[in-house]
Amino acid sequence: MISVQNPTSALLATNEYDASSWVESFAKRFSPTEVELIQHACDLAAPLYSGHVELTGSPLLEHALGATTILIDMNMDVETIAATILHAVPEYLSDWRATLQMRFGANITGLVEGISRMEQIQEFSEIEGLHDPSRKNDDHAQQIESLRKMLLAMVEDIRVVLIKLAERTQTLRRLSGASPEQQRRIAQESQGIFAPLANRLGVWQVKWELEDLSLRYLEPQLYKSVAKMLDERRVDREQYIIDVVTQLKQELSQAGIKGDVSGRPKHIYSIVKKMKSKHLDFSELYDVRAVRILVDDIKDCYTALGLIHSLWQPIPGEFDDYIARPKSNNYRSLHTAVSGPRGLALEVQIRTFEMHQYSELGVAAHWRYKEGGKSDAKFDEKIAWLRQILAWKDEVSDNGDMLEQFKSELFQDKVYVLTPQGKVIDLPVGATPIDFAYTLHTDLGHRTRGAKVNGSIVPLNTKLQNGQRVEILTSKLGSPSRDWLNASLGFLQSPSARAKVRHWFKYQHYDENVAQGRARLDRELHRAGVGAINQEKIAQKLQFQKLEDFLAAIGRGDVSEHQIALAIQEDVAPRQEEPARPLSTKRITAQPSQTGVVVEGVGNLQTNTAKCCKPMPQDSIVGYLTCDHGVTIHRRACAFIARLPEARRNRVLSAQWGNVQHGRTDVDIEVEAHDRQGLLRDISDLFAREKVNATKANTMTRNNLALMQFSIEISELEQLNRLLALIRHVPNVIDAQRRN
């Protein structure tokens, strides 16, 4: 809602439009308590709106009460009525939220806040280029559809949408007072976004008025021409339909047919649309006026058809039997056109209640068919639910609990955000800027190095919200980070984005990864004391068809040392004749030791955790048989184990974790970074946020390069991996890793 200060209209805004008289005119429709609430809303709004006009030139108070009148005619509840009166208060009252909360409560305050957020749709449509005729039709239609979905997703209470529809209708009623440029912009926006929303929600009268008034400003000559050819005013056409409906109800009752008859005159917009789509002249249209008959079963459909044709003369070639021959979307109904009362053409649709339910609320919803859009079954079902709620509101208007049904979270499985150019992008809930970048273009995702949301730089694992504008910051030769694939860090939510990152790592530096993988495999074979072995067989055991792909996966880190060791052990065990050296095939003891570790064939020999590498549960481990301290448990990747001379490698024993009670374990980590002021503080703050206790810290700086060593208490390996990944994202940090 756009308003401007107009000193000359202040008198008009305050005196000529009397809010008290307006409230009195509707007082009989509400209880005394409700009337008092409505008057209270007017008392707050009137002085704030005084001297302000809407862009059409109408006084702001008159505009608000006009929109409210539309909602009163729709039998909306008193909270909706009060919120509509107060919808512009946030523009003129600095502490409006606290004021409304104190005077009107949380529900009305929430509605006003929702209306304020929805004002963004005007900005969105302008940025998107809704009024740009140069855009391709398919892309344009898709973006308009995305805007509609975003509009619904941005509100928590569907009543907010109804208020916006009423407010827009009131604007169009007074649009003649706006400039030609404003008239065209508002009419295009109304026709492209708000009229279809009214249609989908089943608010038919508002939809028809939005369409007709929009057409009046977009194609004034055509509008006037069709209006003249109708040769009667809308009121006359509506009265004609009322007379036909009354006559048909009497005839059906006398024939013993139980049914419902309803109708409406065809509106100018729908007439023009049909003339354009079917390339017809006005004289060739037979459905300028239409009625619909709903009955219980198919037999009654054909009985009613016979009754219609006996009353009025059928128009040749204008009968369609979509019950015997349904449309491709399973739409079923009988359509006929007759020369009705006064010789005026009349279209009649006849169907069962079940057919109508499917047509109006089913997955192949009628509004989809009418708009000519593609089906979106999941979205259709949600809209159908909302339309049912709107249909039920008249029956439950006195039930406060049912009003909660208007508050919908049905659209929260998607997040709708904007590109800097205004294009709407839909993402799964929880999506991040990286998901957004990969949705736009794979290469953009690969080169992502930062992001701005609504102009402010945010972390790359920030969860995006509806309506935010997202800008991606890139490097020229960037590449994805492996941390993006760490689910606990929350960088990626979209499966497609995750797949693109995996694909990049799979095929980048393939030859280099093969070479690194071959070196790692040779090292593991050496540790296991295995010489000749069928490496392709090991690859197949780990579900790789080609040895090169297996080696590349090792080089990328997709295959762990523990997996390699197990595969080697399985292949070697059946044919090994001499005692194994690092990975013996002796039977493992059934009982874990006091450290919670099961070591091969050592009975209840004392075990200790190595202080050099500090293994913890989930680490791949081995045991080292000492001379006088039992077995020491090391990480398999421990530097001590790697440096063992050949003569002592037979002391290395296979080990694995038993049923360990996860406690806190001391772990040493190293951080390398470009030194700066506040670096240690930032890392310490990170420890605090992650609830990690640092028991020792040692820092040393040389040539502006900082080497920091920490001893920390960790409860599980996943927590350590998450912490290291987060440290790597601290500004100036080069690397963070666990000490071997």
Side-chain angles (χ1 to χ4, degrees):
M1 201 284 302
I2 303 173
S3 62
V4 295
Q5 181 74 28
N6 186 347
T8 63
S9 65
L11 183 64
L12 176 66
T14 55
N15 294 344
E16 290 192 11
Y17 206 84
D18 188 351
S20 297
S21 299
W22 176 86
V23 173
E24 186 178 347
S25 68
F26 292 103
K28 293 181 180 180
R29 300 195 187 188
F30 300 95
S31 68
T33 303
E34 292 173 334
V35 171
E36 184 179 358
L37 178 64
I38 295 172
Q39 183 64 61
H40 189 34
C42 290
D43 292 342
L44 175 63
L48 292 175
Y49 296 173
S50 177
H52 296 278
V53 296
E54 213 229 357
L55 58 80
T56 62
S58 297
L60 187 53
L61 180 61
E62 178 183 345
H63 173 81
L65 297 184
T68 306
T69 301
I70 295 173
L71 292 167
I72 290 175
D73 291 339
M74 292 167 58
N75 296 321
M76 292 304 298
D77 61 286
V78 70
E79 289 182 351
T80 306
I81 302 306
T84 308
I85 297 170
L86 300 166
H87 79 279
V89 165
E91 297 183 41
Y92 308 108
L93 191 64
S94 58
D95 60 340
W96 66 270
R97 190 176 285 102
T99 300
L100 294 184
Q101 180 79 26
M102 179 180 65
R103 297 176 67 170
F104 298 97
N107 287 345
I108 293 176
T109 304
L111 287 171
V112 173
E113 187 167 10
I115 301 164
S116 180
R117 285 199 303 268
M118 280 190 59
E119 293 297 334
Q120 297 175 54
I121 193 64
Q122 294 171 340
E123 178 185 356
F124 295 160
S125 63
E126 291 171 6
I127 295 172
E128 140 64 19
L130 175 63
H131 321 303
D132 183 3
S134 65
R135 295 185 66 102
K136 293 181 179 179
N137 288 339
D138 290 345
D139 181 57
H140 185 70
Q142 180 60 43
Q143 279 302 294
I144 296 300
E145 173 66 8
S146 297
L147 281 167
R148 294 173 194 150
K149 289 183 178 180
M150 182 173 69
L151 182 59
L152 289 172
M154 287 178 66
V155 299
E156 296 178 358
D157 192 324
I158 198 62
R159 289 177 291 177
V160 172
V161 179
L162 301 179
I163 294 171
K164 183 61 183 179
L165 292 175
E167 194 260 324
R168 176 50 60 99
T169 303
Q170 180 63 21
T171 296
L172 284 171
R173 288 177 176 179
R174 300 291 186 269
L175 196 55
S176 60
S179 67
E181 181 182 350
Q182 289 174 328
Q183 289 176 356
R184 186 164 188 83
R185 178 180 63 80
I186 291 173
Q188 284 180 320
E189 189 177 72
S190 301
Q191 188 181 89
I193 295 177
F194 294 106
L197 280 177
N199 182 35
R200 296 181 181 194
L201 295 176
V203 191
W204 311 120
Q205 189 58 46
V206 170
K207 175 250 187 186
W208 297 329
E209 190 169 359
L210 287 171
E211 287 177 339
D212 277 10
L213 291 176
S214 297
L215 181 66
R216 178 180 178 182
Y217 292 100
L218 293 176
E219 300 183 70
Q221 296 303 320
L222 181 59
Y223 177 90
K224 292 176 182 177
S225 174
V226 172
K228 184 177 180 180
M229 286 186 289
L230 284 172
D231 197 30
E232 56 186 354
R233 294 177 301 172
R234 175 175 298 172
V235 174
D236 296 329
R237 287 184 279 133
E238 290 175 349
Q239 186 59 50
Y240 179 88
I241 293 300
I242 292 173
D243 294 340
V244 169
V245 168
T246 302
Q247 183 179 357
L248 283 177
K249 285 182 177 179
Q250 293 174 351
E251 296 289 345
L252 290 174
S253 177
Q254 292 175 6
I257 299 175
K258 294 182 179 180
D260 180 64
V261 184
S262 61
R264 64 176 177 85
K266 285 286 186 176
H267 290 258
I268 295 176
Y269 175 82
S270 63
I271 293 171
V272 170
K273 187 175 181 181
K274 189 161 189 176
M275 290 170 61
K276 289 181 176 180
S277 63
K278 295 195 174 184
H279 306 288
L280 297 174
D281 186 75
F282 183 81
S283 61
E284 299 176 277
L285 296 177
Y286 292 105
D287 60 346
V288 174
R289 302 158 193 84
V291 295
R292 178 178 297 139
I293 300 174
L294 303 181
V295 294
D296 290 331
D297 54 42
I298 294 176
K299 175 177 64 67
D300 289 340
C301 288
Y302 289 99
T303 303
L305 177 66
L307 180 62
I308 297 295
H309 286 176
S310 68
L311 286 173
W312 300 299
Q313 180 69 33
I315 297 174
E318 292 300 317
F319 170 68
D320 292 298
D321 188 346
Y322 295 121
I323 294 179
R325 297 182 302 278
K327 290 187 177 183
S328 59
N329 62 0
N330 207 30
Y331 171 81
R332 296 188 299 162
S333 183
L334 296 177
H335 290 192
T336 188
V338 297
S339 181
R342 291 189 277 164
L344 299 176
L346 175 70
E347 182 196 58
V348 183
Q349 296 178 351
I350 308 169
R351 63 181 70 147
T352 67
F353 287 99
E354 182 182 1
M355 294 173 190
H356 181 66
Q357 182 77 3
Y358 184 88
S359 167
E360 292 294 309
L361 302 175
V363 172
H366 192 54
W367 50 262
R368 277 286 183 189
Y369 157 70
K370 282 291 186 183
E371 289 179 22
K374 295 181 179 178
S375 178
D376 179 347
K378 192 173 183 181
F379 191 70
D380 291 355
E381 290 172 359
K382 295 173 181 180
I383 291 293
W385 187 90
L386 290 178
R387 291 176 71 180
Q388 286 178 325
I389 293 299
L390 291 170
W392 295 338
K393 69 178 175 60
D394 292 336
E395 302 174 15
V396 296
S397 57
D398 294 330
N399 186 345
D401 294 336
M402 180 55 77
L403 291 179
E404 292 298 316
Q405 295 290 336
F406 280 98
K407 298 178 179 180
S408 170
E409 296 181 359
L410 289 176
F411 298 94
Q412 299 308 310
D413 57 342
K414 286 285 187 180
V415 172
Y416 299 89
V417 297
L418 294 159
T419 67
Q421 296 75 34
K423 183 177 181 180
V424 180
I425 303 296
D426 62 290
L427 301 165
V429 167
T432 66
I434 303 178
D435 289 303
F436 171 83
Y438 275 109
T439 300
L440 291 180
H441 196 281
T442 300
D443 183 61
L444 181 65
H446 290 339
R447 296 187 294 111
T448 296
R449 284 297 171 269
K452 289 183 178 180
V453 173
N454 293 338
S456 300
I457 294 179
V458 298
L460 286 177
N461 57 356
T462 300
K463 295 185 186 303
L464 299 177
Q465 304 297 323
N466 280 311
Q468 291 179 329
R469 186 173 292 113
V470 185
E471 179 183 354
I472 298 299
L473 309 177
T474 63
S475 60
K476 291 184 178 180
L477 299 173
S479 59
S481 167
R482 289 193 184 278
D483 290 337
W484 295 357
L485 295 174
N486 188 335
S488 63
L489 298 179
F491 283 105
L492 290 172
Q493 175 69 22
S494 166
S496 62
R498 193 176 292 111
K500 290 176 180 179
V501 175
R502 289 198 183 102
H503 185 272
W504 189 93
F505 281 111
K506 184 175 182 179
Y507 290 102
Q508 289 291 322
H509 311 299
Y510 185 83
D511 293 339
E512 180 182 339
N513 286 332
V514 169
Q516 291 180 357
R518 194 182 303 280
R520 286 183 58 192
L521 179 60
D522 290 343
R523 187 163 59 249
E524 289 302 318
L525 291 172
H526 179 71
R527 287 184 183 181
V530 177
I533 192 172
N534 189 335
Q535 296 184 2
E536 291 187 355
K537 189 175 180 180
I538 296 178
Q540 291 173 0
K541 285 181 180 292
L542 294 174
Q543 308 300 315
F544 290 91
Q545 298 298 321
K546 296 181 179 180
L547 176 60
E548 288 75 13
D549 290 344
F550 172 55
L551 296 175
I554 297 175
R556 293 193 301 267
D558 293 343
V559 178
S560 68
E561 295 174 349
H562 181 63
Q563 289 175 294
I564 299 171
L566 289 178
I568 295 172
Q569 186 174 1
E570 290 175 5
D571 189 71
V572 171
R575 52 190 177 81
Q576 194 170 29
E577 297 179 356
E578 59 182 77
R581 294 158 74 185
L583 297 176
S584 173
T585 58
K586 297 178 183 178
R587 186 169 58 184
I588 296 177
T589 56
Q591 297 296 325
S593 66
Q594 60 195 21
T595 59
V597 177
V598 179
V599 185
E600 61 168 351
V602 297
N604 292 322
L605 194 63
Q606 178 184 0
T607 60
N608 301 284
T609 300
K611 295 182 180 180
C612 56
C613 60
K614 297 182 179 179
M616 60 185 299
Q618 300 178 11
D619 278 333
S620 179
I621 56 175
V622 295
Y624 178 72
L625 185 61
T626 65
C627 295
D628 53 0
H629 293 94
V631 177
T632 303
I633 305 303
H634 293 261
R635 289 167 55 209
R636 187 177 289 274
C638 178
F640 171 80
I641 297 296
R643 292 194 300 265
L644 277 176
E646 189 68 22
R648 288 195 287 166
R649 292 194 66 81
N650 60 356
R651 296 189 185 184
V652 178
L653 308 172
S654 293
Q656 64 185 44
W657 296 101
N659 296 323
V660 182
Q661 295 294 326
H662 289 249
R664 303 188 73 82
T665 305
D666 282 337
V667 176
D668 294 332
I669 63 173
E670 289 182 342
V671 179
E672 184 180 4
H674 297 294
D675 195 23
R676 64 171 171 83
Q677 186 175 3
L679 177 62
L680 181 60
R681 180 198 62 216
D682 289 347
I683 295 176
S684 299
D685 289 345
L686 180 59
F687 288 160
R689 289 198 303 272
E690 293 297 308
K691 297 181 174 56
V692 171
N693 182 37
T695 58
K696 184 171 66 174
N698 183 32
T699 64
M700 179 177 65
T701 302
R702 181 178 299 171
N703 298 327
N704 204 37
L705 195 66
L707 181 64
M708 315 173 79
Q709 297 178 342
F710 300 94
S711 290
I712 57 176
E713 293 180 343
I714 293 292
S715 58
E716 56 184 0
L717 189 60
E718 183 179 347
Q719 184 186 19
L720 175 62
N721 292 336
R722 172 182 170 84
L723 180 68
L724 292 174
L726 290 173
I727 293 175
R728 294 186 192 110
H729 283 82
V730 172
N732 283 43
V733 169
I734 300 171
D735 194 18
Q737 59 185 353
R738 186 177 176 182
R739 292 182 61 189
N740 289 333

